[in-house]
């Protein structure tokens, strides 16, 4: 394969990586390349039915930005009109509603594979023949050369799957595929190529070692919890006010939060009133018992606000950690879970990744419009980008980690303060408005 040259290379071709490529193409005149170990299939192939259980609650900011990129997520999932927060075995609770902040919705719940398909459809239909995008499918980024005062030189090799069996270890990482096979770096002399680029964006999740080799500092905080992902259904509605309008639930337990997001219920399943995407945070001692969902235990922990649980899909269990890659590496930045993989307690991981993309595009636009060439912009890009992202990232990460500490234990003093806080939040319109805006992804 001949050597290629593009303006921006994105390492990672799942949801965040593909969305970054679409944003670059839609909102700048630059060229872009995507490197992805797995095949990035054309729309006719990726349209097949998926069993991916991952859903994301797109905050209103993400919904608006995706609309700017010609993606109407309302075609993919239902809107959230209110969020109900409660605390197991305590009276504290509150409701955050769209009406209270005069907006039609707080967000939209979509299946991650369906969203990825829509993004890929747009890339192929609008840009695949434009000459502005290259897709290196089935390739991995092996090494990065950083000549002084010159573009980066990226060395790619053919992807090799050392494990032909499907890896069923799952996570909520929206930057990598749901089942991720093992990979290795190939020996010299095998299929390879070189790309020259001004900027390199990492959108490859938290586990790729190349980021640390380039100088990004990796840090990990183990929350001592595991997440259980599954879809669950109710056949009897307890309270209509939690179904019309549709409600997302967050319930805090002594082992961690339990979240339910309303998703589309097939019209041919009349026996089910509503399906939910569930993330249940549990202790390490509990994780061995989740080969399937114990609906009676779920009912006991959650209560009856959503209705009577009657069915579930296969659960997937994964460790919950905060993983960050930090630093200002010339011409290189990290986006989404490659920058920060969050605890799912507040559902802000994917939305924070969308804001990463927005600020990356804003950094490009603001520098290029003043007459600078891309080469001039590239030399200071990572510094400027870090300045734009610092406050939003640190506030979101700090808030998320604090919520884990506050809402994942049942100590008497902490639980009392927690419940007083929920009651105050429910009663005080000014505080409620602030937290509602946070839930909508407003910086």
């Amino acid at each position: 394969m001949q050597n290629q040259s593009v303006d921006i290379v994105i390492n990672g071709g799942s949801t965040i990586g593909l969305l970054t490529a679409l944003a670059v193409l839609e909102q700048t005149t630059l060229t872009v390349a995507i490197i992805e170990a797995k095949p990035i299939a054309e729309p006719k192939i990726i349209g097949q039915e998926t069993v991916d259980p991952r859903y994301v609650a797109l905050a209103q900011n993400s919904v608006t930005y995706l609309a700017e990129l010609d993606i109407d997520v309302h075609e993919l999932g239902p809107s959230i009109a209110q969020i109900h927060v409660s605390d197991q075995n305590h009276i504290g609770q509150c409701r955050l509603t769209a009406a209270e902040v005069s907006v039609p919705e707080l967000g939209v719940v979509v299946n991650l594979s369906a969203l990825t398909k829509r993004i890929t459809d747009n890339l192929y239909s609008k840009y695949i023949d434009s000459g502005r995008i290259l897709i290196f499918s089935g390739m991995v980024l092996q090494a990065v050369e950083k000549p002084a005062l010159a573009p980066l030189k990226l060395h790619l090799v053919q992807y090799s799957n050392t494990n032909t069996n499907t890896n069923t270890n799952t996570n909520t990482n929206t930057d990598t595929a749901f089942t991720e096979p093992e990979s290795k770096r190939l020996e010299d002399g095998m299929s390879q190529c070189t790309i020259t680029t001004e900027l390199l964006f990492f959108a490859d999740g938290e586990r790729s070692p190349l980021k640390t080799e380039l100088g990004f500092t990796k840090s990990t905080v183990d929350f001592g919890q595991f997440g259980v992902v599954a879809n669950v259904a109710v056949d009897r509605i307890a309270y209509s006010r939690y179904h019309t309008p549709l409600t997302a639930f967050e319930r805090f337990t002594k082992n961690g939060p339990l979240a339910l997001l309303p998703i589309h219920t097939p019209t041919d399943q009349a026996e089910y009133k509503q399906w939910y995407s569930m993330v249940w945070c549990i202790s390490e001692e509990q994780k061995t018992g989740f080969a399937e969902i114990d609906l009676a235990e779920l009912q006991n922990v959650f209560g009856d606000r959503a209705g009577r649980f009657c069915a579930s899909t296969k659960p997937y269990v994964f460790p919950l950690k905060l993983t960050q890659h930090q630093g200002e590496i010339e011409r290189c930045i990290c986006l989404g879970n490659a920058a920060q993989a969050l605890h799912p307690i507040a559902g802000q991981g994917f939305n924070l990744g969308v804001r990463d993309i927005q600020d990356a595009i804003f950094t490009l636009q603001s520098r290029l419009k003043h007459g600078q060439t891309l080469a001039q912009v590239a030399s200071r890009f990572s510094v400027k980008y870090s300045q734009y992202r610092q406050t939003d990232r640190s506030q979101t990460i700090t808030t998320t980690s604090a919520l884990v500490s506050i809402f994942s234990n049942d100590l008497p003093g902490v639980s009392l303060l927690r419940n007083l806080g929920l009651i105050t939040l429910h009663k005080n319109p000014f505080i409620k408005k602030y937290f509602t805006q946070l839930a909508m992804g407003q910086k």
Side-chain angles (χ1 to χ4, degrees), residues 141-146 155 185 200 202 204 207-218 325-326 329 332 334:
L141 180 57
Q142 183 183 48
V144 179
E145 285 187 49
K146 299 172 63 178
H155 298 284
R185 298 186 179 187
L200 172 59
F202 284 98
D204 55 354
R207 285 178 282 183
S208 168
L210 189 55
K211 294 187 284 294
T212 54
E213 293 174 15
L214 285 172
F216 287 103
T217 301
K218 182 178 180 179
H325 285 92
Q326 298 172 297
I329 309 304
C332 303
C334 296

Side-chain angles (χ1 to χ4, degrees), residues 263-323:
I263 61 179
H264 275 326
T265 300
T267 56
D268 60 349
Q269 296 183 4
E271 68 273 25
Y272 303 129
K273 299 298 183 181
Q274 180 67 54
W275 277 93
Y276 291 94
S277 170
M278 180 193 74
V279 180
W280 189 350
C281 299
I282 60 174
S283 66
E284 184 171 3
E285 293 74 20
Q286 292 176 289
K287 72 183 179 75
T288 55
F290 275 86
E292 61 182 30
I293 299 296
D294 184 335
L295 295 176
E297 177 62 16
L298 174 61
Q299 196 79 65
N300 179 60
V301 172
F302 185 80
D304 62 356
R305 286 184 179 85
R308 186 178 67 180
F309 297 108
C310 63
S312 73
T313 61
K314 175 185 175 182
Y316 293 88
V317 183
F318 54 93
L320 297 178
K321 300 178 181 180
L322 165 64
T323 303

Side-chain angles (χ1 to χ4, degrees), residues 249-397:
F249 295 93
E250 185 97 27
R251 184 161 176 82
F252 298 110
T253 77
K254 64 180 181 180
N255 294 314
L258 195 168
L260 296 178
L261 300 175
I263 61 179
H264 275 326
T265 300
T267 56
D268 60 349
Q269 296 183 4
E271 68 273 25
Y272 303 129
K273 299 298 183 181
Q274 180 67 54
W275 277 93
Y276 291 94
S277 170
M278 180 193 74
V279 180
W280 189 350
C281 299
I282 60 174
S283 66
E284 184 171 3
E285 293 74 20
Q286 292 176 289
K287 72 183 179 75
T288 55
F290 275 86
E292 61 182 30
I293 299 296
D294 184 335
L295 295 176
E297 177 62 16
L298 174 61
Q299 196 79 65
N300 179 60
V301 172
F302 185 80
D304 62 356
R305 286 184 179 85
R308 186 178 67 180
F309 297 108
C310 63
S312 73
T313 61
K314 175 185 175 182
Y316 293 88
V317 183
F318 54 93
L320 297 178
K321 300 178 181 180
L322 165 64
T323 303
Q324 297 182 76
H325 285 92
Q326 298 172 297
E328 295 176 356
I329 309 304
E330 186 175 353
R331 299 174 184 269
C332 303
I333 64 170
C334 296
L335 303 165
N337 282 1
Q340 64 278 311
L342 306 183
H343 190 288
I345 188 169
Q348 289 301 309
F350 187 83
N351 295 300
L352 187 59
V354 171
R355 299 200 295 274
D356 286 344
I357 297 171
Q358 287 179 282
D359 278 350
I361 299 299
F362 176 78
T363 304
L364 286 169
Q365 292 173 327
S366 61
R367 310 301 290 178
L368 290 172
K369 73 178 183 181
H370 288 98
Q372 296 185 29
T373 65
L374 181 59
Q376 292 172 321
V377 171
S379 63
R380 294 280 295 167
F381 181 82
S382 63
V383 174
K384 295 297 182 182
Y385 174 78
S386 295
Q387 291 173 350
Y388 283 129
R389 295 301 301 137
Q390 182 177 3
T391 300
D392 184 26
R393 278 178 169 171
S394 61
Q395 287 181 348
T396 304
I397 291 170

Side-chain angles (χ1 to χ4, degrees), residues 129-174:
D129 297 322
S130 68
R132 293 180 58 203
I133 182 171
L134 297 173
I135 296 179
F136 294 87
S137 183
M139 305 290 286
V140 293
L141 180 57
Q142 183 183 48
V144 179
E145 285 187 49
K146 299 172 63 178
L149 304 177
L152 301 174
K153 187 174 291 186
L154 313 184
H155 298 284
L156 280 62
V157 295
Q158 185 177 0
Y159 173 75
S160 175
N161 184 352
T162 61
N163 180 5
T164 56
N165 295 321
T166 300
N167 180 0
T168 57
N169 293 328
T170 182
N171 55 46
T172 56
N173 186 350
T174 56

Side-chain angles (χ1 to χ4, degrees), residues 52-68:
D52 189 342
R54 294 173 304 167
Y55 284 76
V56 292
L58 298 175
Q60 191 59 34
N61 172 76
S62 299
V63 173
T64 301
Y65 187 64
L66 286 164
E68 293 177 12

Side-chain angles (χ1 to χ4, degrees), residues 8 10 15-28 58-74 105-108 115 118-119 122 126-127 201 335 350-365 385 389 440-443:
I8 298 173
I10 300 167
T15 315
I16 287 291
L18 293 169
L19 185 60
T20 304
L22 182 61
V24 170
L25 295 170
E26 287 277 331
Q27 300 183 316
T28 77
L58 298 175
Q60 191 59 34
N61 172 76
S62 299
V63 173
T64 301
Y65 187 64
L66 286 164
E68 293 177 12
L69 302 180
D70 196 24
I71 298 174
D72 182 3
V73 296
H74 297 94
E105 62 195 10
L106 298 178
V108 179
L115 177 60
R118 183 60 56 87
I119 295 168
N122 282 21
K126 298 174 69 172
Y127 294 107
F201 293 177
L335 303 165
F350 187 83
N351 295 300
L352 187 59
V354 171
R355 299 200 295 274
D356 286 344
I357 297 171
Q358 287 179 282
D359 278 350
I361 299 299
F362 176 78
T363 304
L364 286 169
Q365 292 173 327
Y385 174 78
R389 295 301 301 137
M440 293 170 59
Q442 297 180 2
K443 291 193 288 184

